[in-house]
Amino acid sequence: MAGKKWKVIALSCRKGYHTQAYQKELELRKKKGLIDPDVILLTVEDPDSRIGSGGATINTILVVAEHLSSLAGYTVVNPDVLNDADILIFLMGKSYVFDPCGRAFASIPAMFNGSHHITGSKTENIASNIDFLIHTLTNTICPNSPPGVWVCSTDMLLSFSTGKAIATVFPKDWKGVSLITVPASIEYATLHGACKVGHDGAVDNIFYQSSSDNLQSCLVNNHQVPLVSGLLFMCPDTATKLLHFHVKPPIDACTYMGIDSGSQPIKLSLFFDILLPMANCVSRENFVTGNRSGSYGTKGDNYNRLLPEDKALKEKVRSVLYDELHQIQIRSVLINEGSHSYMSMDIATDYQNQILNCPLNNEVNNISNFHWQRKIHCNSQSKCKIPSESVVINSKIDSIVDIGKKCIISHCVLQNNLKIGSGCILSGLLPEELEVDRVTTEPMVLPDESVLLNFIISIGDNVSRRITTVYGLHDNLMLPTYNEKSRFCNKPWSEFYKRTGIDNSDLWQQNLPQSARCLFNAKLYPIFNYSQKIETEDIFWLLGSHNSIEALEKWRLSWRLSLKDIMCMIDVAAVFDYRRKLYLEIGERNIERALWNGDDICFLPFFQSCAAEDYHNVLYTLDRVACETKSLAVASRCLASIADVLGTMAVSRGGLRSGPAANKSWKQAFRLLEELKVTDGITVMAEERKNWLKRPDLIVRAARHYEGAEQILIRKAVLTAKKFITTISQELPPINNIWVIASSGDLAGGWSDTPPITYEHGGVVVNAAVKMDGKRPIGAKARRISDPIIRLVLIGDKKPTIVTCADMSDLEDYNKPHAPGALLKAAFLCAEIISFNSPISLKQQLLEKYSSGFELHSWAHLPQGSGLGTSSILAGAIMACLFTVSGRKCDNSSIVHSVLYLEQMLTTGGGWQDQVGGLVKGVKISRSPAELPLKVNITELDVKQSFITELDKRLLLIYTGKTRLAKNLLQDVLRGWYAKLPEVLPNVHNLTSNAEESAKAFLDGQSLAGAGGGGFMYLITKQENFCEEVKAIVSKIKGTEDVVVYRGAVDREGLTISYKQHNCGDSC
């Protein structure tokens, strides 16, 4: 079933809490294809910091309805827009010390992959809690739900152990609220909320942090209770009811419209004030008086400090809420596959356990979009050993950093001589936060189970500063310091006071009650000193690294903040920007390392991220590697990668990636590459590229030229095959005809012969030379003629085409495959009969070397794109003719390598399997090692002649009528290879292994021949001599008018050269 198609996804966040930064994060996910491109994304700022989760929900529904009303053309808020809309609202909640971006955007150890909505290319993002929530709700929980409003907290990790949509039942015409619950133990529920469920799943009561005795009444099965998960669904009628509160005083004061109308803000809880009055067994009296409202009601010191008029206002608000909401039905939807893990920040061990043993990652809940790893987007030096028990997220780590077990390192750059103890948590640290202002060879030591967190805070208009905090893994941030279990840096406060000389008055105001004094609000952390710079040692002093009167005095004279202060000052936009910049820098480093090491890593998801971020610096990294490398393979991959980057930048708005690449603006760079002045060529290309980045169409054209440059380097690599072309001089033949006929078809291993795969991975191919209806349909013939010209005769099904080359300019289009006679022209240059770059004229070259001209005929009585390697086999026949007619003799191996050379000159590219198949007799296996110079080793298979005879009786070749040009296919294959696409690499590995297996068990079944997987199809019949019957069957099938059936037979001779007299026909 398809996932839920959301109309709106809205994020409610606290007032002044960087709404624009969160909106930008969501929009980036949308650009990356991680969120549906059609969804409306809204980040809604709470109108006041004191409206609570219930007020935030009502205000967000108002803003969503207002937005949809405007889009629908209404001039006022129209509740009807909620009737058919699927709306998802997330509540940001309070700050989170372990991630300054909040619990919603807290990083988890996974990479989130999606697909770009236009190109379909893979994209990636370091996963966060909200990514998992959106994906889970869209694909697992909500697909079956009717239109309405889903509201989801973000302060928990919510997991469902199923990889498919849950068949959540929504009764027909259901009106009310569905509260999603998950099973939990009573012990866990005492810290959270649970439902008492009555008949037909109706909620009778909701208990929050209740006693174990109370929760006994909630038991449903296996000694578990239905835990309030933080997720609920409300039908359009209920959402409309909440929407109307924006015009109903005093509840309107929780919406921006009420506050803009002059009302004082009120605080409402989603569960205590909105859902609780809907429960069947909650009486009006208990609700209105606040006895059931937890910290929002009569419990706690805050209530006792309220003025009488404020208490009266609260009761009035609850009275209205009860009267309006009690008749709404609320039911529990228990999802047994679900689990809930609250993201507490009281003790760091909770966070440590959620990251090291993330409850979202389990074998059953195997969501393919999330790839879980211990090292997520990490760049570490080879000598840096990261224990398998530790997790590193979006961090750069040098080799001189020693990391202990069970550590969590996120968004850090660690470069100094540092020894990190076991069980430590580090976040947001830069090298300057860990510098020691003294000369030492000893490493800086972070004790076991330390928590070192760096935050970016705003201290004024557009002014941000970094501040580092430290405490212990087992410290409880909220536990009063007088409690004997209270700790700082894992030791009793008394030890800390004694060691440092700090006392209570340094940390808390005197009027703050002892019961309220805790680590969270202790002003421990220096950020500024008027006379001295805050150093790393000033932070490590708190840990106990050293003791001195000077350290204490400096600390006391510094402006200090508590964790509570810091949480209120977080510059969320700056944190996101820092993480994004670090992510991009690490990506560049990883790409650079992969290029140098030749690693099979796909860069495309990262390139998509760069495009979404409008980050183009990766182009310069690729330029630099291409300039510095001495390897043609590395330089080629760099050029292909630059083309991919440009392709992602254009986002399919600039046309097709395939196209011409010979614009004069790039001519100088191409010339330098042809001369193997790679560094100069790359530099010139980079400079020219700047002129092509203004519009998508120009960007795509630039990408084509980078692929053209890549082809030049591939060509140069393949041209190393020239080393294995050996000829022996012989007497020039008289003026007569020499002709060659050859044919072939491949059986297994195709594409592994294709450059650059063949010399980067290594290629293996099994194939055979094949006759069709007893004939060789491909051939060529050549003769010397008295006129010092080159005459080319292209023989086809129609009248032959004659091309005469009397001048060097007539050969200029030898590298344009569609030009008449291009293959034949390139062959003359490849055979070195003519030197194209020589200042000597064509006529003089012919007369001086041969005292004659040449006439060359070629034919291929097979359709172009047939899949039988027509062009390569024809090229081999032509090269054999030209070598012989120009007074040279060579073996089949030289012909095979000369065709490789020729096809690079022609710019069609291509490998060696076709010429091997057609020119070398019988069945053979050919291999090319992963190295340069490129060499093909051919071994004839010792196939029993009785088997070949039986095969000939049953082998048919069926032309399907569908053709594809191999060059176009080749471009797609090369892009996939250089991009290291996950779907391409295993195929390449399998091709070579399958070919080896095919050599052992030769030819079983049928296969499509050729690069396109189309054109000709091999067919092995059970019965002998079944050709006519197959023709009859095919003729009765609609749409097979162009299909032709041929008898096949293994060619036992291969390439043959024979001399004929002048009166030989066009295609002897």
Side-chain angles (χ1 to χ4, degrees), residues 464-536:
S464 294
R465 292 286 292 271
R466 282 182 166 269
I467 183 171
T468 301
T469 66
V470 65
Y471 62 96
L473 186 71
H474 302 285
D475 300 348
N476 189 321
L477 298 183
M478 303 303 177
L479 195 65
T481 56
Y482 66 74
N483 189 302
E484 63 179 13
K485 294 183 178 180
S486 185
R487 297 284 188 273
F488 178 63
C489 294
N490 301 317
K491 296 179 180 179
W493 281 96
S494 57
E495 290 189 23
F496 172 70
Y497 295 148
K498 182 178 179 180
R499 176 177 58 78
T500 61
I502 293 173
D503 59 38
N504 275 291
S505 62
D506 293 319
L507 300 176
W508 299 280
Q509 294 180 352
Q510 292 302 312
N511 61 351
L512 188 67
Q514 289 291 332
S515 61
R517 297 183 181 187
C518 61
L519 173 53
F520 188 59
N521 57 23
K523 292 186 181 295
L524 278 162
Y525 307 111
I527 186 171
F528 176 75
N529 186 289
Y530 72 94
S531 61
Q532 301 179 66
K533 180 183 177 182
I534 301 298
E535 305 282 356
T536 301

Side-chain angles (χ1 to χ4, degrees), residues 953-965:
K953 296 176 182 178
R954 293 167 172 80
L955 178 61
L956 300 179
L957 284 82
I958 302 179
Y959 175 58
T960 63
K962 298 178 180 179
T963 64
R964 294 177 68 183
L965 186 60

Side-chain angles (χ1 to χ4, degrees), residues 298-360:
T298 58
K299 297 180 181 179
D301 295 334
N302 290 335
Y303 181 78
N304 295 328
R305 289 195 292 266
L306 288 176
L307 297 173
E309 55 268 30
D310 293 329
K311 293 180 180 178
L313 176 62
K314 280 184 171 287
E315 290 190 2
K316 181 179 179 181
V317 169
R318 292 195 191 98
S319 177
V320 174
L321 288 170
Y322 193 90
D323 293 341
E324 292 287 336
L325 301 176
H326 187 62
Q327 300 304 316
I328 296 176
Q329 293 178 292
I330 181 171
R331 65 174 188 139
S332 166
V333 178
L334 179 64
I335 301 180
N336 288 311
E337 300 93 338
S339 67
H340 178 283
S341 180
Y342 180 69
M343 300 172 72
S344 170
M345 71 175 192
D346 292 1
I347 303 178
T349 51
D350 292 339
Y351 169 76
Q352 182 189 50
N353 184 58
Q354 287 176 335
I355 296 300
L356 295 182
N357 306 292
C358 188
L360 303 180

Side-chain angles (χ1 to χ4, degrees), residues 471-734:
Y471 62 96
L473 186 71
H474 302 285
D475 300 348
N476 189 321
L477 298 183
M478 303 303 177
L479 195 65
T481 56
Y482 66 74
N483 189 302
E484 63 179 13
K485 294 183 178 180
S486 185
R487 297 284 188 273
F488 178 63
C489 294
N490 301 317
K491 296 179 180 179
W493 281 96
S494 57
E495 290 189 23
F496 172 70
Y497 295 148
K498 182 178 179 180
R499 176 177 58 78
T500 61
I502 293 173
D503 59 38
N504 275 291
S505 62
D506 293 319
L507 300 176
W508 299 280
Q509 294 180 352
Q510 292 302 312
N511 61 351
L512 188 67
Q514 289 291 332
S515 61
R517 297 183 181 187
C518 61
L519 173 53
F520 188 59
N521 57 23
K523 292 186 181 295
L524 278 162
Y525 307 111
I527 186 171
F528 176 75
N529 186 289
Y530 72 94
S531 61
Q532 301 179 66
K533 180 183 177 182
I534 301 298
E535 305 282 356
T536 301
E537 292 182 341
D538 299 319
I539 304 301
F540 272 61
W541 171 68
L542 297 173
L543 272 172
S545 62
H546 64 286
N547 295 313
S548 70
I549 298 298
E550 293 79 9
L552 176 62
E553 289 304 314
K554 181 180 179 181
W555 180 86
R556 281 188 167 141
L557 291 173
S558 298
W559 175 27
R560 303 186 310 278
L561 300 175
S562 67
L563 279 168
K564 183 178 180 180
D565 297 329
I566 293 169
M567 291 298 99
C568 296
M569 301 168 69
I570 297 293
D571 189 339
V572 175
V575 175
F576 276 134
D577 287 344
Y578 160 72
R579 292 183 176 183
R580 197 176 297 119
K581 180 181 178 182
L582 182 57
Y583 166 82
L584 294 168
E585 289 177 355
I586 290 171
E588 286 186 77
R589 278 197 175 193
N590 288 341
I591 284 174
E592 184 174 353
R593 182 165 61 187
L595 288 169
W596 286 115
N597 294 341
D599 296 333
D600 288 342
I601 296 175
C602 182
F603 302 154
L604 281 180
F606 178 73
F607 292 162
Q608 288 285 357
S609 294
C610 291
E613 305 268 5
D614 292 325
Y615 180 80
H616 304 152
N617 195 63
V618 65
L619 290 170
Y620 306 117
T621 298
L622 295 168
D623 288 337
R624 179 166 48 80
V625 175
C627 287
E628 293 176 358
T629 184
K630 302 300 182 183
S631 165
L632 289 177
V634 173
S636 298
R637 188 178 178 188
C638 288
L639 293 173
S641 296
I642 292 173
D644 283 336
V645 173
L646 295 172
T648 59
M649 289 168 58
V651 198
S652 296
R653 295 192 301 264
L656 298 173
R657 280 281 298 274
S658 299
N663 188 285
K664 292 181 179 179
S665 299
W666 303 85
K667 188 174 182 180
Q668 180 190 1
F670 282 17
R671 178 181 57 78
L672 291 168
L673 294 177
E674 290 284 3
E675 296 171 0
L676 282 181
K677 297 177 180 177
V678 177
T679 298
D680 294 340
I682 299 296
T683 303
V684 173
M685 289 192 75
E687 190 63 30
E688 177 60 29
R689 185 177 65 219
K690 297 176 182 178
N691 302 320
W692 295 69
L693 302 180
K694 299 174 183 177
R695 301 194 315 264
D697 61 314
L698 293 178
I699 294 174
V700 168
R701 289 165 62 191
R704 293 171 182 168
H705 283 82
Y706 269 94
E707 289 188 334
E710 160 210 321
Q711 288 293 334
I712 292 174
L713 297 190
I714 292 175
R715 187 183 315 134
K716 293 299 179 181
V718 176
L719 292 181
T720 60
K722 185 178 181 180
K723 179 179 179 180
F724 306 107
I725 303 174
T726 304
T727 61
I728 301 173
S729 296
Q730 62 182 10
E731 184 179 354
L732 279 171

Side-chain angles (χ1 to χ4, degrees), residues 178-286:
S178 295
L179 191 59
I180 305 299
T181 57
V182 297
S185 67
I186 288 180
E187 181 183 7
Y188 184 80
T190 57
L191 302 173
H192 305 286
C195 294
K196 181 179 180 181
V197 181
H199 181 66
D200 292 335
V203 174
D204 289 338
N205 219 324
I206 302 174
F207 299 104
Y208 178 70
Q209 292 188 342
S210 189
S211 66
S212 297
D213 293 339
N214 277 349
L215 293 177
Q216 289 291 332
S217 64
C218 301
L219 287 173
V220 287
N221 53 47
N222 298 326
H223 304 291
Q224 292 183 312
V225 298
L227 187 83
V228 175
S229 68
L231 175 64
L232 63 93
F233 170 77
M234 61 181 74
C235 71
D237 287 353
T238 303
T240 299
K241 177 77 74 172
L242 297 188
L243 173 63
H244 284 154
F245 283 142
H246 83 279
V247 291
K248 188 179 288 292
I251 303 177
D252 66 328
C254 70
T255 69
Y256 86 89
M257 283 192 176
I259 291 177
D260 285 356
S261 299
S263 300
Q264 290 297 313
I266 62 168
K267 186 175 184 179
L268 298 177
S269 164
L270 177 59
F271 290 92
F272 296 151
D273 295 320
I274 305 298
L275 299 181
L276 191 62
M278 299 179 189
N280 291 336
C281 298
V282 175
S283 68
R284 192 178 197 280
E285 179 182 359
N286 270 340

